[in-house]
Amino acid sequence: MISNEVVEAQQRAPESRGKNEAIRIRRGGKIPAVIYGAGKEPVALTLDPRQIKKILNSESGHNTIFDLKIGAGQEKAMIVDWQYDPIKSSLLHIDLKRIAMDKAIRVKVPIELTGVAEGVKTQGGIMDQVLREVELECLPADIPTHIDVDVTSMTFGQVLRISDLPHGGKLKFLTNEEQTVAHVTAVKEEVVATPDALAVAPVAAEPEVIKKGKQDAPADEAPAPKK
């Protein structure tokens, strides 16, 4: 998805890397980052984490294509990797990729099922979604936020596969087209133990009681010798 968001970045010197430098950047309210791709050399950057969080929390998330401004230059970019502090939940580092709008790229997009299946509504089944995202290839401008699939007509036992997903001719699915996305299946019944089953069930052996004799008494508790 193309966004009007403009993320401003500052270029770092190639030698300004390492753990101590990253800590210094974060203390200053920024986060370290790197951008690569499009046949160009990687460039070390610093970014405002608030702008990155805004993009990650948007509807299209990390698939969002935005404008990255570095000094006087500007280019399209996408977030390809990010690291969070597991305790503070703060961003630690970002990897960005340069995007050429005229070249197809690979992305993973969520699959969302819409409607209530006939097999659920009238046949007592349940909808089991096995696959929640699909890998595809398309031009950057054609990246969907998610792929919606209407499952209203699905009956008991029917299977929805990758080959059944709508694509409009602009998307090339890379996931195996025979892979199951969802199916209407039976409700799993809970097995209840019957009296007969309980009667033949093995009885757990009682724990062996270990009797301690005098020989087991610790040295400092042994009886004093008779005088």
Side-chain angles (χ1 to χ4, degrees):
M1 178 178 177
I2 309 296
S3 171
N4 294 325
E5 189 78 22
V6 178
V7 176
E8 295 190 3
Q10 295 75 43
Q11 186 171 344
R12 290 186 283 148
E15 65 273 8
S16 62
R17 298 191 179 188
K19 185 176 180 180
N20 292 336
E21 179 65 14
I23 292 174
R24 185 191 67 78
I25 292 171
R26 296 186 195 106
R27 284 177 178 172
K30 303 286 186 178
I31 53 171
V34 63
I35 185 169
Y36 53 84
K40 300 179 182 179
E41 290 294 324
V43 176
L45 307 169
T46 58
L47 301 170
D48 185 339
R50 293 172 297 182
Q51 289 188 290
I52 300 300
K53 280 186 176 181
K54 182 180 178 182
I55 292 172
L56 289 175
N57 293 330
S58 68
E59 186 180 11
S60 51
H62 67 277
N63 284 338
T64 304
I65 297 175
F66 55 90
D67 290 308
L68 182 70
K69 185 178 181 182
I70 308 173
Q74 191 164 297
E75 54 190 339
K76 296 291 185 182
M78 176 188 286
I79 299 170
V80 292
D81 194 17
W82 60 98
Q83 297 174 13
Y84 272 109
D85 184 305
I87 298 176
K88 300 179 180 179
S89 296
S90 56
L91 283 168
L92 298 176
H93 189 274
I94 296 293
D95 282 4
L96 305 174
K97 182 179 180 180
R98 299 182 184 95
I99 300 298
M101 298 302 293
D102 59 345
K103 293 184 179 180
I105 60 174
R106 294 186 175 191
V107 292
K108 289 185 177 181
V109 177
I111 302 171
E112 296 189 2
L113 308 182
T114 62
V116 179
E118 189 67 25
V120 174
K121 186 188 298 184
T122 64
Q123 298 174 323
I126 60 170
M127 177 61 72
D128 181 19
Q129 185 171 358
V130 179
L131 193 67
R132 297 190 177 275
E133 65 177 13
V134 59
E135 186 178 15
L136 56 85
E137 185 178 79
C138 65
L139 290 173
D142 296 329
I143 299 174
T145 303
H146 43 74
I147 296 177
D148 293 333
V149 188
D150 186 358
V151 297
T152 306
S153 63
M154 285 184 65
T155 56
F156 185 80
Q158 189 172 351
V159 178
L160 175 72
R161 304 184 189 279
I162 293 292
S163 57
D164 300 318
L165 299 180
H167 55 79
K170 296 182 178 181
L171 310 179
K172 178 183 178 183
F173 295 122
L174 302 178
T175 306
N176 188 333
E177 64 177 12
E178 293 301 316
Q179 187 164 341
T180 298
V181 174
H183 60 146
V184 180
T185 184
V187 179
K188 293 181 180 179
E189 297 182 0
E190 183 178 355
V191 178
V192 180
T194 62
D196 292 339
L198 293 175
V200 299
V203 179
E206 293 185 6
E208 181 182 356
V209 178
I210 301 176
K211 296 181 180 180
K212 288 189 176 182
K214 291 183 179 180
Q215 67 274 16
D216 297 314
D220 55 353
E221 294 182 5
K226 293 181 180 181
K227 294 182 180 180

